[in-house]
Amino acid sequence: MKAREPLNVDDKDIEHTETGLPLSSPTDMSYSLCRMRLAVVCRHIVDETAENHLNGQEVPYETILELDRELHKACAEIPGFFRFDQTSRRQYAALYRERPTLAWQRSIVQQGYHSRLCRLHRYYFVRGAKDPRYSYSHVVSLRSARRVLEVKRMMDEQEPVFTPHSSTIWAVMHHVFMAAVILLIDVCFNWDDILAEKRKEEVLDACRMLSRAQQSSPIAREGIRAMMDILRKYCKQEKRPVSRGSQADPLASSIENVAAASVPQAYFAATTSLGPKKVSFAPQTSDSQPTLLSEPLSDPLPLEEIWTEMLDGSAYAELDTPDWTDLLTELTDATMPCE
């Protein structure tokens, strides 16, 4: 099958031209054409890896690197007004004020490409932290995860002001959650790194983005709860048995006492273990009104407290690479909340 791409023209000009403008010219179709380019690359990735997945085989690293080059090539071809480097931002500042939709689309395009790079390299991400043969996957995953978070930060802090707020768009917050988990896993596998404390603060900063989102958007809250349930399920596998006759971990007891004093009792309806520490999660709920609330939502998950405990327990976790790859896969495929 061969399909023609739409012309790169504004809607008002579609009946008056038979040739489109170059991709370097911003139009109403620029975003769709960039997304189509990404979709073509993603389809090729699926075609190249499907047989391995169906047969339960590992995708050869050479294939991952080849597909990485294709993704990076497509990313390099993004027009300047959809890029995030300082030169492009200054060059197109007036355009973003005139057409704020393009600024919105720029953020979505950037998150789309970098989240796909994280997804492509997830099979070798953890191994790349220890095995030099796969270190490229580790570096690319962390760099792309940080870029996803940087994009969200800029959407929140810089002009033009986004309407609706980016936290109400689950596609944006899903990418943020995935990026935060990648940074979390990196800390778990490198808890004794010289920069461990800085990495932990980086994770908590991402966690605060999620906390603010669930405060302002029922859609984000619903999606975050669903993904926290998945994270809880995998963390539960890392429970360390307490030997018979031994005393309970006093640090874990202390954490539970602090949580009980500051968190409503409803949060203890579902409890799981992470290493020697216990982490509590609220039961999953959903909201029927996907609108931005003027008042804080009731009973949001205490994400920063939960993730802090997970980070503090990372040194004790007995982690297994396939399990954490499965975690990233399941989080990627998590059902979207009703929008």
Side-chain angles (χ1 to χ4, degrees), residues 71-103:
L71 257 178
H72 273 100
K73 181 176 183 295
C75 190
E77 294 172 353
I78 293 175
F81 53 86
F82 279 161
R83 296 179 183 174
F84 255 104
D85 59 276
Q86 291 186 354
T87 301
S88 297
R89 294 204 303 268
R90 287 195 298 267
Q91 181 180 353
Y92 295 101
L95 176 65
Y96 299 142
R97 289 192 294 269
E98 178 186 352
R99 303 176 67 167
T101 300
L102 288 173

PDB file of all heavy atoms in Angstrom, residues 71-103:
ATOM      1  N   LEU A  71      15.843   6.303  14.695  1.00  0.00           N
ATOM      2  CA  LEU A  71      15.099   7.245  15.532  1.00  0.00           C
ATOM      3  C   LEU A  71      15.830   8.581  15.645  1.00  0.00           C
ATOM      4  O   LEU A  71      15.217   9.658  15.545  1.00  0.00           O
ATOM      5  CB  LEU A  71      14.890   6.639  16.925  1.00  0.00           C
ATOM      6  CG  LEU A  71      13.511   6.073  17.263  1.00  0.00           C
ATOM      7  CD1 LEU A  71      13.509   5.473  18.664  1.00  0.00           C
ATOM      8  CD2 LEU A  71      12.424   7.141  17.128  1.00  0.00           C
ATOM      9  N   HIS A  72      17.128   8.513  15.866  1.00  0.00           N
ATOM     10  CA  HIS A  72      17.900   9.744  15.978  1.00  0.00           C
ATOM     11  C   HIS A  72      17.915  10.525  14.664  1.00  0.00           C
ATOM     12  O   HIS A  72      17.894  11.761  14.661  1.00  0.00           O
ATOM     13  CB  HIS A  72      19.333   9.435  16.423  1.00  0.00           C
ATOM     14  CG  HIS A  72      19.491   9.375  17.911  1.00  0.00           C
ATOM     15  ND1 HIS A  72      19.525   8.191  18.606  1.00  0.00           N
ATOM     16  CD2 HIS A  72      19.612  10.360  18.839  1.00  0.00           C
ATOM     17  CE1 HIS A  72      19.673   8.452  19.899  1.00  0.00           C
ATOM     18  NE2 HIS A  72      19.726   9.746  20.066  1.00  0.00           N
ATOM     19  N   LYS A  73      17.944   9.819  13.551  1.00  0.00           N
ATOM     20  CA  LYS A  73      17.912  10.490  12.246  1.00  0.00           C
ATOM     21  C   LYS A  73      16.595  11.246  12.068  1.00  0.00           C
ATOM     22  O   LYS A  73      16.575  12.409  11.643  1.00  0.00           O
ATOM     23  CB  LYS A  73      18.088   9.465  11.129  1.00  0.00           C
ATOM     24  CG  LYS A  73      18.096  10.063   9.719  1.00  0.00           C
ATOM     25  CD  LYS A  73      18.370   8.983   8.686  1.00  0.00           C
ATOM     26  CE  LYS A  73      18.448   9.571   7.280  1.00  0.00           C
ATOM     27  NZ  LYS A  73      17.153  10.145   6.838  1.00  0.00           N
ATOM     28  N   ALA A  74      15.486  10.574  12.427  1.00  0.00           N
ATOM     29  CA  ALA A  74      14.185  11.235  12.322  1.00  0.00           C
ATOM     30  C   ALA A  74      14.101  12.427  13.270  1.00  0.00           C
ATOM     31  O   ALA A  74      13.550  13.483  12.916  1.00  0.00           O
ATOM     32  CB  ALA A  74      13.071  10.233  12.637  1.00  0.00           C
ATOM     33  N   CYS A  75      14.660  12.282  14.452  1.00  0.00           N
ATOM     34  CA  CYS A  75      14.650  13.381  15.425  1.00  0.00           C
ATOM     35  C   CYS A  75      15.471  14.566  14.920  1.00  0.00           C
ATOM     36  O   CYS A  75      15.093  15.727  15.112  1.00  0.00           O
ATOM     37  CB  CYS A  75      15.185  12.883  16.768  1.00  0.00           C
ATOM     38  SG  CYS A  75      14.971  14.048  18.141  1.00  0.00           S
ATOM     39  N   ALA A  76      16.585  14.277  14.262  1.00  0.00           N
ATOM     40  CA  ALA A  76      17.432  15.347  13.732  1.00  0.00           C
ATOM     41  C   ALA A  76      16.755  16.105  12.603  1.00  0.00           C
ATOM     42  O   ALA A  76      17.119  17.255  12.310  1.00  0.00           O
ATOM     43  CB  ALA A  76      18.758  14.758  13.249  1.00  0.00           C
ATOM     44  N   GLU A  77      15.774  15.484  11.958  1.00  0.00           N
ATOM     45  CA  GLU A  77      15.078  16.119  10.845  1.00  0.00           C
ATOM     46  C   GLU A  77      13.873  16.943  11.283  1.00  0.00           C
ATOM     47  O   GLU A  77      13.181  17.533  10.448  1.00  0.00           O
ATOM     48  CB  GLU A  77      14.636  15.037   9.845  1.00  0.00           C
ATOM     49  CG  GLU A  77      15.821  14.341   9.165  1.00  0.00           C
ATOM     50  CD  GLU A  77      15.403  13.143   8.329  1.00  0.00           C
ATOM     51  OE1 GLU A  77      14.196  12.770   8.398  1.00  0.00           O
ATOM     52  OE2 GLU A  77      16.248  12.581   7.624  1.00  0.00           O
ATOM     53  N   ILE A  78      13.601  16.981  12.589  1.00  0.00           N
ATOM     54  CA  ILE A  78      12.510  17.805  13.088  1.00  0.00           C
ATOM     55  C   ILE A  78      12.798  19.265  12.750  1.00  0.00           C
ATOM     56  O   ILE A  78      13.920  19.743  12.939  1.00  0.00           O
ATOM     57  CB  ILE A  78      12.374  17.641  14.616  1.00  0.00           C
ATOM     58  CG1 ILE A  78      11.914  16.221  14.955  1.00  0.00           C
ATOM     59  CG2 ILE A  78      11.391  18.657  15.194  1.00  0.00           C
ATOM     60  CD1 ILE A  78      11.884  15.950  16.444  1.00  0.00           C
ATOM     61  N   PRO A  79      11.813  20.001  12.239  1.00  0.00           N
ATOM     62  CA  PRO A  79      12.062  21.420  11.909  1.00  0.00           C
ATOM     63  C   PRO A  79      12.442  22.224  13.148  1.00  0.00           C
ATOM     64  O   PRO A  79      12.103  21.857  14.279  1.00  0.00           O
ATOM     65  CB  PRO A  79      10.729  21.882  11.316  1.00  0.00           C
ATOM     66  CG  PRO A  79       9.719  20.873  11.753  1.00  0.00           C
ATOM     67  CD  PRO A  79      10.441  19.582  11.897  1.00  0.00           C
ATOM     68  N   GLY A  80      13.143  23.329  12.928  1.00  0.00           N
ATOM     69  CA  GLY A  80      13.699  24.105  14.020  1.00  0.00           C
ATOM     70  C   GLY A  80      12.674  24.585  15.032  1.00  0.00           C
ATOM     71  O   GLY A  80      12.954  24.658  16.233  1.00  0.00           O
ATOM     72  N   PHE A  81      11.457  24.905  14.592  1.00  0.00           N
ATOM     73  CA  PHE A  81      10.447  25.434  15.512  1.00  0.00           C
ATOM     74  C   PHE A  81       9.874  24.351  16.419  1.00  0.00           C
ATOM     75  O   PHE A  81       9.090  24.658  17.323  1.00  0.00           O
ATOM     76  CB  PHE A  81       9.324  26.143  14.743  1.00  0.00           C
ATOM     77  CG  PHE A  81       8.698  25.314  13.644  1.00  0.00           C
ATOM     78  CD1 PHE A  81       7.669  24.433  13.910  1.00  0.00           C
ATOM     79  CD2 PHE A  81       9.159  25.428  12.338  1.00  0.00           C
ATOM     80  CE1 PHE A  81       7.083  23.697  12.898  1.00  0.00           C
ATOM     81  CE2 PHE A  81       8.589  24.688  11.314  1.00  0.00           C
ATOM     82  CZ  PHE A  81       7.551  23.805  11.589  1.00  0.00           C
ATOM     83  N   PHE A  82      10.246  23.097  16.213  1.00  0.00           N
ATOM     84  CA  PHE A  82       9.844  22.007  17.103  1.00  0.00           C
ATOM     85  C   PHE A  82      11.019  21.503  17.944  1.00  0.00           C
ATOM     86  O   PHE A  82      10.923  20.442  18.564  1.00  0.00           O
ATOM     87  CB  PHE A  82       9.251  20.846  16.312  1.00  0.00           C
ATOM     88  CG  PHE A  82       7.809  21.041  15.921  1.00  0.00           C
ATOM     89  CD1 PHE A  82       7.259  20.282  14.898  1.00  0.00           C
ATOM     90  CD2 PHE A  82       7.009  21.963  16.570  1.00  0.00           C
ATOM     91  CE1 PHE A  82       5.926  20.450  14.530  1.00  0.00           C
ATOM     92  CE2 PHE A  82       5.681  22.143  16.205  1.00  0.00           C
ATOM     93  CZ  PHE A  82       5.131  21.386  15.180  1.00  0.00           C
ATOM     94  N   ARG A  83      12.105  22.245  17.980  1.00  0.00           N
ATOM     95  CA  ARG A  83      13.263  21.841  18.769  1.00  0.00           C
ATOM     96  C   ARG A  83      13.325  22.639  20.073  1.00  0.00           C
ATOM     97  O   ARG A  83      12.695  23.684  20.203  1.00  0.00           O
ATOM     98  CB  ARG A  83      14.552  22.035  17.973  1.00  0.00           C
ATOM     99  CG  ARG A  83      14.611  21.143  16.726  1.00  0.00           C
ATOM    100  CD  ARG A  83      15.873  21.356  15.943  1.00  0.00           C
ATOM    101  NE  ARG A  83      15.873  20.559  14.719  1.00  0.00           N
ATOM    102  CZ  ARG A  83      16.788  20.619  13.775  1.00  0.00           C
ATOM    103  NH1 ARG A  83      17.823  21.459  13.928  1.00  0.00           N
ATOM    104  NH2 ARG A  83      16.707  19.869  12.698  1.00  0.00           N
ATOM    105  N   PHE A  84      14.133  22.136  21.015  1.00  0.00           N
ATOM    106  CA  PHE A  84      14.163  22.728  22.343  1.00  0.00           C
ATOM    107  C   PHE A  84      15.507  23.360  22.698  1.00  0.00           C
ATOM    108  O   PHE A  84      15.689  23.813  23.829  1.00  0.00           O
ATOM    109  CB  PHE A  84      13.808  21.679  23.405  1.00  0.00           C
ATOM    110  CG  PHE A  84      12.424  21.845  23.962  1.00  0.00           C
ATOM    111  CD1 PHE A  84      11.404  21.009  23.576  1.00  0.00           C
ATOM    112  CD2 PHE A  84      12.152  22.852  24.868  1.00  0.00           C
ATOM    113  CE1 PHE A  84      10.128  21.157  24.089  1.00  0.00           C
ATOM    114  CE2 PHE A  84      10.887  23.022  25.394  1.00  0.00           C
ATOM    115  CZ  PHE A  84       9.870  22.169  24.994  1.00  0.00           C
ATOM    116  N   ASP A  85      16.448  23.379  21.781  1.00  0.00           N
ATOM    117  CA  ASP A  85      17.725  24.016  22.098  1.00  0.00           C
ATOM    118  C   ASP A  85      17.517  25.526  22.217  1.00  0.00           C
ATOM    119  O   ASP A  85      16.564  26.094  21.690  1.00  0.00           O
ATOM    120  CB  ASP A  85      18.757  23.692  21.026  1.00  0.00           C
ATOM    121  CG  ASP A  85      18.325  24.155  19.643  1.00  0.00           C
ATOM    122  OD1 ASP A  85      17.574  23.399  18.980  1.00  0.00           O
ATOM    123  OD2 ASP A  85      18.696  25.273  19.243  1.00  0.00           O
ATOM    124  N   GLN A  86      18.421  26.170  22.913  1.00  0.00           N
ATOM    125  CA  GLN A  86      18.260  27.594  23.209  1.00  0.00           C
ATOM    126  C   GLN A  86      18.206  28.445  21.949  1.00  0.00           C
ATOM    127  O   GLN A  86      17.441  29.414  21.863  1.00  0.00           O
ATOM    128  CB  GLN A  86      19.391  28.063  24.113  1.00  0.00           C
ATOM    129  CG  GLN A  86      19.329  27.498  25.525  1.00  0.00           C
ATOM    130  CD  GLN A  86      20.382  28.113  26.436  1.00  0.00           C
ATOM    131  OE1 GLN A  86      21.226  28.887  25.983  1.00  0.00           O
ATOM    132  NE2 GLN A  86      20.340  27.754  27.704  1.00  0.00           N
ATOM    133  N   THR A  87      19.014  28.078  20.956  1.00  0.00           N
ATOM    134  CA  THR A  87      19.026  28.860  19.710  1.00  0.00           C
ATOM    135  C   THR A  87      17.658  28.842  19.045  1.00  0.00           C
ATOM    136  O   THR A  87      17.138  29.885  18.626  1.00  0.00           O
ATOM    137  CB  THR A  87      20.089  28.310  18.748  1.00  0.00           C
ATOM    138  OG1 THR A  87      21.375  28.378  19.364  1.00  0.00           O
ATOM    139  CG2 THR A  87      20.096  29.096  17.443  1.00  0.00           C
ATOM    140  N   SER A  88      17.055  27.657  18.956  1.00  0.00           N
ATOM    141  CA  SER A  88      15.734  27.540  18.328  1.00  0.00           C
ATOM    142  C   SER A  88      14.668  28.254  19.140  1.00  0.00           C
ATOM    143  O   SER A  88      13.773  28.908  18.580  1.00  0.00           O
ATOM    144  CB  SER A  88      15.367  26.063  18.167  1.00  0.00           C
ATOM    145  OG  SER A  88      16.273  25.404  17.305  1.00  0.00           O
ATOM    146  N   ARG A  89      14.752  28.154  20.474  1.00  0.00           N
ATOM    147  CA  ARG A  89      13.746  28.818  21.309  1.00  0.00           C
ATOM    148  C   ARG A  89      13.793  30.334  21.116  1.00  0.00           C
ATOM    149  O   ARG A  89      12.753  30.998  21.051  1.00  0.00           O
ATOM    150  CB  ARG A  89      13.955  28.456  22.781  1.00  0.00           C
ATOM    151  CG  ARG A  89      13.692  26.984  23.080  1.00  0.00           C
ATOM    152  CD  ARG A  89      13.344  26.785  24.549  1.00  0.00           C
ATOM    153  NE  ARG A  89      14.366  27.274  25.451  1.00  0.00           N
ATOM    154  CZ  ARG A  89      15.366  26.537  25.928  1.00  0.00           C
ATOM    155  NH1 ARG A  89      15.484  25.274  25.548  1.00  0.00           N
ATOM    156  NH2 ARG A  89      16.243  27.042  26.773  1.00  0.00           N
ATOM    157  N   ARG A  90      14.990  30.887  21.052  1.00  0.00           N
ATOM    158  CA  ARG A  90      15.114  32.337  20.832  1.00  0.00           C
ATOM    159  C   ARG A  90      14.647  32.712  19.428  1.00  0.00           C
ATOM    160  O   ARG A  90      13.954  33.718  19.232  1.00  0.00           O
ATOM    161  CB  ARG A  90      16.558  32.777  21.047  1.00  0.00           C
ATOM    162  CG  ARG A  90      16.992  32.801  22.503  1.00  0.00           C
ATOM    163  CD  ARG A  90      18.290  33.599  22.655  1.00  0.00           C
ATOM    164  NE  ARG A  90      19.376  32.969  21.910  1.00  0.00           N
ATOM    165  CZ  ARG A  90      20.240  32.099  22.423  1.00  0.00           C
ATOM    166  NH1 ARG A  90      20.146  31.770  23.699  1.00  0.00           N
ATOM    167  NH2 ARG A  90      21.198  31.579  21.692  1.00  0.00           N
ATOM    168  N   GLN A  91      15.029  31.893  18.451  1.00  0.00           N
ATOM    169  CA  GLN A  91      14.705  32.215  17.057  1.00  0.00           C
ATOM    170  C   GLN A  91      13.207  32.246  16.807  1.00  0.00           C
ATOM    171  O   GLN A  91      12.713  33.078  16.034  1.00  0.00           O
ATOM    172  CB  GLN A  91      15.370  31.186  16.134  1.00  0.00           C
ATOM    173  CG  GLN A  91      15.119  31.427  14.649  1.00  0.00           C
ATOM    174  CD  GLN A  91      15.803  30.387  13.780  1.00  0.00           C
ATOM    175  OE1 GLN A  91      16.572  29.548  14.274  1.00  0.00           O
ATOM    176  NE2 GLN A  91      15.539  30.429  12.486  1.00  0.00           N
ATOM    177  N   TYR A  92      12.474  31.349  17.479  1.00  0.00           N
ATOM    178  CA  TYR A  92      11.042  31.222  17.199  1.00  0.00           C
ATOM    179  C   TYR A  92      10.169  31.733  18.342  1.00  0.00           C
ATOM    180  O   TYR A  92       8.968  31.422  18.383  1.00  0.00           O
ATOM    181  CB  TYR A  92      10.706  29.761  16.899  1.00  0.00           C
ATOM    182  CG  TYR A  92      11.363  29.246  15.641  1.00  0.00           C
ATOM    183  CD1 TYR A  92      12.509  28.455  15.718  1.00  0.00           C
ATOM    184  CD2 TYR A  92      10.867  29.569  14.388  1.00  0.00           C
ATOM    185  CE1 TYR A  92      13.131  27.987  14.553  1.00  0.00           C
ATOM    186  CE2 TYR A  92      11.476  29.115  13.232  1.00  0.00           C
ATOM    187  CZ  TYR A  92      12.608  28.322  13.320  1.00  0.00           C
ATOM    188  OH  TYR A  92      13.215  27.863  12.171  1.00  0.00           O
ATOM    189  N   ALA A  93      10.722  32.537  19.232  1.00  0.00           N
ATOM    190  CA  ALA A  93       9.949  33.047  20.370  1.00  0.00           C
ATOM    191  C   ALA A  93       8.729  33.839  19.900  1.00  0.00           C
ATOM    192  O   ALA A  93       7.623  33.705  20.434  1.00  0.00           O
ATOM    193  CB  ALA A  93      10.835  33.898  21.272  1.00  0.00           C
ATOM    194  N   ALA A  94       8.919  34.689  18.890  1.00  0.00           N
ATOM    195  CA  ALA A  94       7.800  35.484  18.379  1.00  0.00           C
ATOM    196  C   ALA A  94       6.739  34.594  17.746  1.00  0.00           C
ATOM    197  O   ALA A  94       5.522  34.842  17.896  1.00  0.00           O
ATOM    198  CB  ALA A  94       8.310  36.508  17.361  1.00  0.00           C
ATOM    199  N   LEU A  95       7.170  33.539  17.060  1.00  0.00           N
ATOM    200  CA  LEU A  95       6.223  32.605  16.447  1.00  0.00           C
ATOM    201  C   LEU A  95       5.373  31.920  17.512  1.00  0.00           C
ATOM    202  O   LEU A  95       4.157  31.755  17.333  1.00  0.00           O
ATOM    203  CB  LEU A  95       6.983  31.569  15.621  1.00  0.00           C
ATOM    204  CG  LEU A  95       6.145  30.452  14.994  1.00  0.00           C
ATOM    205  CD1 LEU A  95       5.188  31.017  13.951  1.00  0.00           C
ATOM    206  CD2 LEU A  95       7.051  29.399  14.354  1.00  0.00           C
ATOM    207  N   TYR A  96       5.984  31.526  18.628  1.00  0.00           N
ATOM    208  CA  TYR A  96       5.238  30.851  19.692  1.00  0.00           C
ATOM    209  C   TYR A  96       4.206  31.792  20.307  1.00  0.00           C
ATOM    210  O   TYR A  96       3.113  31.353  20.692  1.00  0.00           O
ATOM    211  CB  TYR A  96       6.183  30.332  20.771  1.00  0.00           C
ATOM    212  CG  TYR A  96       7.193  29.318  20.267  1.00  0.00           C
ATOM    213  CD1 TYR A  96       8.501  29.304  20.746  1.00  0.00           C
ATOM    214  CD2 TYR A  96       6.850  28.385  19.294  1.00  0.00           C
ATOM    215  CE1 TYR A  96       9.430  28.392  20.291  1.00  0.00           C
ATOM    216  CE2 TYR A  96       7.770  27.471  18.825  1.00  0.00           C
ATOM    217  CZ  TYR A  96       9.061  27.477  19.322  1.00  0.00           C
ATOM    218  OH  TYR A  96       9.978  26.561  18.857  1.00  0.00           O
ATOM    219  N   ARG A  97       4.531  33.081  20.408  1.00  0.00           N
ATOM    220  CA  ARG A  97       3.546  34.027  20.934  1.00  0.00           C
ATOM    221  C   ARG A  97       2.397  34.229  19.954  1.00  0.00           C
ATOM    222  O   ARG A  97       1.240  34.372  20.355  1.00  0.00           O
ATOM    223  CB  ARG A  97       4.228  35.363  21.241  1.00  0.00           C
ATOM    224  CG  ARG A  97       5.165  35.313  22.452  1.00  0.00           C
ATOM    225  CD  ARG A  97       5.585  36.713  22.881  1.00  0.00           C
ATOM    226  NE  ARG A  97       6.417  37.354  21.866  1.00  0.00           N
ATOM    227  CZ  ARG A  97       7.747  37.275  21.833  1.00  0.00           C
ATOM    228  NH1 ARG A  97       8.391  36.571  22.759  1.00  0.00           N
ATOM    229  NH2 ARG A  97       8.438  37.892  20.885  1.00  0.00           N
ATOM    230  N   GLU A  98       2.738  34.208  18.678  1.00  0.00           N
ATOM    231  CA  GLU A  98       1.713  34.392  17.655  1.00  0.00           C
ATOM    232  C   GLU A  98       0.856  33.139  17.486  1.00  0.00           C
ATOM    233  O   GLU A  98      -0.364  33.235  17.310  1.00  0.00           O
ATOM    234  CB  GLU A  98       2.382  34.755  16.313  1.00  0.00           C
ATOM    235  CG  GLU A  98       1.406  34.920  15.167  1.00  0.00           C
ATOM    236  CD  GLU A  98       2.142  35.134  13.851  1.00  0.00           C
ATOM    237  OE1 GLU A  98       3.383  35.304  13.878  1.00  0.00           O
ATOM    238  OE2 GLU A  98       1.481  35.106  12.799  1.00  0.00           O
ATOM    239  N   ARG A  99       1.507  31.986  17.564  1.00  0.00           N
ATOM    240  CA  ARG A  99       0.786  30.710  17.388  1.00  0.00           C
ATOM    241  C   ARG A  99       1.165  29.785  18.542  1.00  0.00           C
ATOM    242  O   ARG A  99       1.987  28.876  18.385  1.00  0.00           O
ATOM    243  CB  ARG A  99       1.158  30.078  16.040  1.00  0.00           C
ATOM    244  CG  ARG A  99       0.866  30.992  14.862  1.00  0.00           C
ATOM    245  CD  ARG A  99       1.333  30.407  13.530  1.00  0.00           C
ATOM    246  NE  ARG A  99       0.587  29.231  13.144  1.00  0.00           N
ATOM    247  CZ  ARG A  99       0.624  28.678  11.923  1.00  0.00           C
ATOM    248  NH1 ARG A  99       1.382  29.223  10.982  1.00  0.00           N
ATOM    249  NH2 ARG A  99      -0.069  27.612  11.642  1.00  0.00           N
ATOM    250  N   PRO A 100       0.563  29.981  19.715  1.00  0.00           N
ATOM    251  CA  PRO A 100       0.939  29.174  20.886  1.00  0.00           C
ATOM    252  C   PRO A 100       0.706  27.686  20.706  1.00  0.00           C
ATOM    253  O   PRO A 100       1.335  26.884  21.384  1.00  0.00           O
ATOM    254  CB  PRO A 100       0.058  29.752  22.002  1.00  0.00           C
ATOM    255  CG  PRO A 100      -1.043  30.490  21.306  1.00  0.00           C
ATOM    256  CD  PRO A 100      -0.470  30.987  20.021  1.00  0.00           C
ATOM    257  N   THR A 101      -0.177  27.314  19.785  1.00  0.00           N
ATOM    258  CA  THR A 101      -0.387  25.886  19.528  1.00  0.00           C
ATOM    259  C   THR A 101       0.906  25.205  19.105  1.00  0.00           C
ATOM    260  O   THR A 101       1.160  24.054  19.460  1.00  0.00           O
ATOM    261  CB  THR A 101      -1.461  25.688  18.440  1.00  0.00           C
ATOM    262  OG1 THR A 101      -2.682  26.275  18.878  1.00  0.00           O
ATOM    263  CG2 THR A 101      -1.686  24.208  18.165  1.00  0.00           C
ATOM    264  N   LEU A 102       1.745  25.915  18.358  1.00  0.00           N
ATOM    265  CA  LEU A 102       3.010  25.340  17.918  1.00  0.00           C
ATOM    266  C   LEU A 102       3.929  25.049  19.107  1.00  0.00           C
ATOM    267  O   LEU A 102       4.677  24.063  19.101  1.00  0.00           O
ATOM    268  CB  LEU A 102       3.708  26.264  16.926  1.00  0.00           C
ATOM    269  CG  LEU A 102       3.085  26.359  15.532  1.00  0.00           C
ATOM    270  CD1 LEU A 102       3.777  27.428  14.707  1.00  0.00           C
ATOM    271  CD2 LEU A 102       3.149  25.010  14.823  1.00  0.00           C
ATOM    272  N   ALA A 103       3.883  25.896  20.125  1.00  0.00           N
ATOM    273  CA  ALA A 103       4.687  25.648  21.322  1.00  0.00           C
ATOM    274  C   ALA A 103       4.206  24.391  22.037  1.00  0.00           C
ATOM    275  O   ALA A 103       5.006  23.579  22.516  1.00  0.00           O
ATOM    276  CB  ALA A 103       4.615  26.860  22.249  1.00  0.00           C
TER     277      ALA A 103
END
